[in-house]
Amino acid sequence: MIFWIKALHIFFVISWLAGIFYLPRLFVYHAAAEHQAVKDQFKIMERRLWFFVTPFAILTAIFGIALIYIYGLAWFKISTWLHVKLALLLAIYGYHIYLYKLMKQFEYDNNVHSTKFYRFLNEAPVLLLLAIVILAVVKPF
């Protein structure tokens, strides 16, 4: 049973992050768009993508919590690596929510950022993901 829960957790993590890594890329193109019809098309794509991947974020949390529950409170208390991983994971959830805020700004044609900002935004969370993977696999402490 635990292997099924782990597999589903990993699947939903991958699916979720694929979506939220792509969303800022759409923002890059949206910010560069000059015609309203093109901007309106990006609004649709962004909204659909955000609402498509948000259930994956929820399922990631559900299966992650299930794993913690199965392993038990004693294991959780001594797993310092997991505490750090969860803190980084909260940052990714915050990033997800921030993307929603930016999407709403685009929706109302209130974008205030450059394409360069969105390019950076697109690449920055990769470092968080790398740290999370290292913590989950290596368990350095």
Side-chain angles (χ1 to χ4, degrees):
M1 177 65 140
I2 194 165
F3 293 118
W4 283 104
I5 294 172
K6 279 185 182 182
L8 289 169
H9 177 66
I10 292 167
F11 170 77
F12 288 119
V13 167
I14 292 167
S15 300
W16 171 39
L17 293 180
I20 65 168
F21 286 166
Y22 184 57
L23 187 55
R25 179 56 47 189
L26 289 176
F27 292 163
V28 170
Y29 302 137
H30 192 159
E34 296 178 9
H35 302 291
Q36 190 60 43
V38 174
K39 291 178 182 183
D40 291 343
Q41 185 62 43
F42 278 117
K43 290 175 190 179
I44 294 167
M45 294 168 65
E46 292 157 1
R47 185 176 55 254
R48 286 181 179 169
L49 179 59
W50 196 88
F51 283 104
F52 178 73
V53 300
T54 296
F56 298 151
I58 294 166
L59 290 166
T60 294
I62 289 169
F63 286 105
I65 291 166
L67 286 170
I68 292 170
Y69 177 79
I70 290 169
Y71 279 107
L73 187 58
W75 171 82
F76 179 74
K77 286 180 180 179
I78 64 168
S79 299
T80 307
W81 66 270
L82 180 59
H83 301 162
V84 176
K85 178 187 171 222
L86 291 173
L88 296 175
L89 185 60
L90 286 176
I92 292 181
Y93 277 98
Y95 176 79
H96 183 101
I97 293 165
Y98 181 62
L99 293 179
Y100 179 78
K101 177 183 180 243
L102 293 172
M103 182 184 72
K104 294 307 260 180
Q105 288 176 352
F106 274 115
E107 182 180 328
Y108 297 112
D109 294 318
N110 290 332
N111 174 45
V112 295
H113 300 292
S114 69
T115 57
K116 189 175 184 177
F117 171 82
Y118 292 114
R119 281 190 180 94
F120 174 76
L121 188 69
N122 181 228
E123 297 163 2
V126 172
L127 298 175
L128 286 174
L129 177 59
L130 175 62
I132 288 170
V133 169
I134 289 169
L135 288 164
V137 174
V138 178
K139 298 173 181 56
F141 40 82

